[in-house]
Amino acid sequence: MTTEETDEHPQFYFCDCFTTDNFFLEDYSLHVRFVSEQQFRLDYEALLRRLGCVTDPQFEDVLNKISQEVDRRRRLDATSAERAAAIKDVYQPLHPHVYHLQESYLAPKFKQLVEYCRSSDASVEGLLDSLEEEAGRVYRFPMFEKSFCEELVEELEHFEKSSAPKGRPNTMNHYGILLNELGFDEGFVTPLRERYLRPLTSLLYPDCGGRCLDSHKAFVVKYDMNEDLDLSYHYDNAEVTLNVSLGKNFTEGNLYFGDMKQVPLSETECSEVEHRVSEGLLHRGQHMHGALPISSGQRWNLIIWMRASQERNKLCPMCNKRPTLVEGEGFADGFTKHSATLNPSCVLT
């Protein structure tokens, strides 16, 4: 059952393309659309053969994996709510305080940036003087104190070792953690987005909803020599993304950024961007990017996909069509029925 909709707490929705579009076939590094087997064969059978899917059993394996993912997405709300309830019931946090955002967790430079953005004379030019631009509109800044990053990673490792059920962020990350299910949304991620990140995004990304970020999906991804090593080239289901390196000790594994998703890969030159522990990277969600393999150690990253219903209500970033709304729990995929002119998140706090 969903909560009652109000101006302060709108009902959020999925686009119905969630169950048909953007399935990632890991064995072939390919995103596909699946409406029916007939459509899928027409669209992808020849391409998959060129990529190495040449036998009938291999193709049947692809169909089975897509079928399982369709089923998972259709049941997502219910299974996520069940996991969250079970986690709350059985999991004892190691560091309970990290679930509630405190200013002491934030790097002094980051707090200065936010304070400047809130000032009456703030300008994008003034802000850019204090940021490192690593690639086209990809900005780096100190985010957290390293001591907080260490405690957060300890908490996440403690959760991974527990018997509590675990949902994974998406089909590309097998060892991540969904922070809403673990209880981080209300006390940590929402105030971080509303009070600290939106002042920056309002100046940096007004053209893609940076002033009106009103929901998010937050998760942590883990890269390990025995688990996920890298991340294929992709774009995010977000208007603006924050990526923070939390640790631990690792070598290589740089991010790389191409161009926006509309630009053909053949016309794209990529730029590598180094991960630095405790530092954040802000970029547009539709900016194509990936992660190169780590060569040793283990890396944890906090990812926040920030969404602006004012933008995505007009055009779903995943299917590039006007969204067909399907009711969801929590923030769902960030779509609303609100008119853009009524969006209270466009008022900077």
Side-chain angles (χ1 to χ4, degrees), residues 85-143:
I87 291 167
K88 188 174 182 180
D89 189 45
V90 305
Y91 177 64
Q92 294 295 319
L94 178 67
H95 297 307
H97 59 275
V98 302
Y99 291 76
H100 300 278
L101 182 64
Q102 299 177 35
E103 284 225 341
S104 60
Y105 301 163
L106 304 175
K109 175 66 180 295
F110 177 63
K111 289 186 280 191
Q112 290 171 12
L113 291 171
V114 175
E115 195 62 34
Y116 171 77
C117 293
R118 290 172 174 165
S119 66
S120 59
D121 59 348
S123 68
V124 66
E125 294 79 14
L127 176 59
L128 292 177
D129 286 341
S130 300
L131 295 175
E132 296 180 55
E133 185 172 9
E134 296 286 351
R137 300 181 75 186
V138 179
Y139 302 106
R140 178 195 300 278
F141 48 88
M143 182 80 205

Side-chain angles (χ1 to χ4, degrees), residues 27 68 208:
D27 293 339
Q68 291 171 13
C208 55

Side-chain angles (χ1 to χ4, degrees), residues 258-322:
D259 214 314
M260 299 302 282
K261 71 174 185 179
Q262 300 86 352
V263 179
L265 186 58
S266 60
E267 299 175 15
T268 295
E269 291 186 14
C270 289
S271 302
E272 281 194 39
V273 177
E274 181 186 5
H275 279 293
R276 299 177 194 162
V277 174
S278 78
E279 295 189 359
L281 294 165
L282 272 178
H283 63 86
R284 293 163 292 173
Q286 305 298 287
H287 196 159
M288 297 292 294
H289 60 285
L292 296 169
I294 61 170
S295 57
S296 69
Q298 185 182 93
R299 188 176 83 233
W300 293 78
N301 284 66
L302 167 65
I303 311 293
I304 306 179
W305 288 352
M306 294 178 281
R307 292 154 168 175
S309 59
Q310 173 178 283
E311 295 297 320
R312 58 184 42 228
N313 289 351
K314 297 180 286 189
L315 188 74
C316 171
M318 305 309 286
C319 65
N320 295 312
K321 299 174 183 174
R322 187 173 183 86

